Amino acid sequence: MDWASIFIHDTSWAFAAEIVIRVVVMFTMIILFLRYTGKRGVRQLSIFELTIILSLGSIAGDPMFTEDLPLIQAILIMSIVISLYRLYTWLMVRYRPFEDFLEGTSLYIVEDGQLALSKFELGQMSHDEFFAEMRMQGIEHLGQVRIGLLETTGSFSILLYPHDEVRYGLPLFPKQYEAVTKIEPSCHYACMFCGYVTHPLTPDELCNRCQSKCRGWAKALNDRVIR
């Protein structure tokens, strides 16, 4: 095995010095680009901002070590990308439909302690993904949640019921989120697909809200939020 060929190949001292200059220039351009786009660009990224970052990485990478790629081309491309970013940002401020097209819109996942059926039926959100996020925010069951929004950044915004308005809801932790085999007349039960709470007569009764989507009934909880 030719180690010299693997590590050095035809790299000369002159090109090594050129690489140093290329990296310094492109690294500085990245810093200036991110500084110019504002602090929001380095926090939670939207689809549009992620596209910009991926473009930035592609533009900056090759000129750092490609000998026959002049820096002026990379700088020109990066300048065009910056101009497009500013143009798209201006259009998003002026035209709401354009912003919705690029950034997307917030989705209602929970309304009045029940899951928004359309989002789950269309596959826009999985139960496991949503339940995990709720658990990390200290939510024990859906009866504690008045509104749950999936933001365009991928984060969740939660509005909780006041303590005295907490209702029965679908449990979110695995041990409680299990289909019952026996119905107790004095207990409330939640549909394991949509969170609808009622008093089913049998464990295999269909949910009046989601019908055939029902996965069974879990014993509903009405504990208050503890923070």
Side-chain angles (χ1 to χ4, degrees):
M1 186 175 294
D2 188 355
W3 293 102
S5 178
I6 293 175
F7 285 96
I8 301 176
H9 191 48
D10 57 353
T11 303
S12 64
W13 285 107
F15 184 58
E18 184 179 330
I19 288 177
V20 173
I21 297 173
R22 287 172 175 268
V23 171
V24 170
V25 171
M26 295 314 300
F27 186 80
T28 303
M29 288 296 297
I30 293 173
I31 296 298
L32 292 175
F33 180 89
L34 293 177
R35 181 67 183 86
Y36 188 66
T37 56
K39 294 182 179 179
R40 186 169 176 265
V42 294
R43 292 169 61 191
Q44 293 175 318
L45 300 179
S46 66
I47 293 176
F48 173 59
E49 291 164 339
L50 182 59
T51 301
I52 294 296
I53 297 300
L54 291 177
S55 300
L56 181 64
S58 178
I59 295 167
D62 290 345
M64 289 184 179
F65 60 86
T66 303
E67 187 173 7
D68 57 350
L69 183 60
L71 286 176
I72 187 61
Q73 295 180 7
I75 294 173
L76 176 61
I77 294 172
M78 190 171 291
S79 299
I80 294 173
V81 171
I82 291 175
S83 299
L84 287 174
Y85 177 87
R86 301 303 298 178
L87 173 63
Y88 283 14
T89 301
W90 180 81
L91 288 173
M92 285 191 293
V93 172
R94 294 291 299 273
Y95 304 104
R96 180 60 183 270
F98 188 77
E99 180 182 9
D100 292 343
F101 175 75
L102 287 182
E103 299 277 9
T105 56
S106 300
L107 300 176
Y108 278 85
I109 303 300
V110 178
E111 294 180 279
D112 298 324
Q114 298 178 357
L115 298 175
L117 281 178
S118 59
K119 307 304 181 294
F120 290 88
E121 289 174 343
L122 294 175
Q124 293 177 292
M125 173 67 60
S126 71
H127 285 73
D128 290 343
E129 179 184 1
F130 173 72
F131 288 178
E133 181 65 31
M134 293 297 98
R135 291 194 294 266
M136 286 190 290
Q137 297 199 31
I139 309 299
E140 186 178 2
H141 61 88
L142 290 183
Q144 298 170 338
V145 182
R146 182 163 64 90
I147 293 176
L149 275 178
L150 175 62
E151 304 290 359
T152 57
T153 58
S155 60
F156 284 88
S157 296
I158 307 296
L159 288 180
L160 301 176
Y161 280 110
H163 284 325
D164 57 347
E165 295 182 22
V166 171
R167 55 185 65 186
Y168 281 92
L170 178 67
L172 304 179
F173 283 79
K175 286 187 176 180
Q176 288 81 24
Y177 183 75
E178 292 183 353
V180 298
T181 57
K182 182 180 179 180
I183 298 295
E184 300 176 19
S186 60
C187 295
H188 292 75
Y189 294 89
C191 171
M192 296 177 66
F193 181 79
C194 71
Y196 176 70
V197 177
T198 187
H199 296 278
L201 299 177
T202 62
D204 56 354
E205 179 180 326
L206 293 180
C207 173
N208 290 331
R209 183 166 180 255
C210 65
Q211 299 298 324
S212 60
K213 299 289 185 180
C214 183
R215 299 177 174 181
W217 299 94
K219 192 171 182 179
L221 305 176
N222 69 336
D223 300 319
R224 296 179 177 180
V225 179
I226 299 176
R227 291 282 174 92

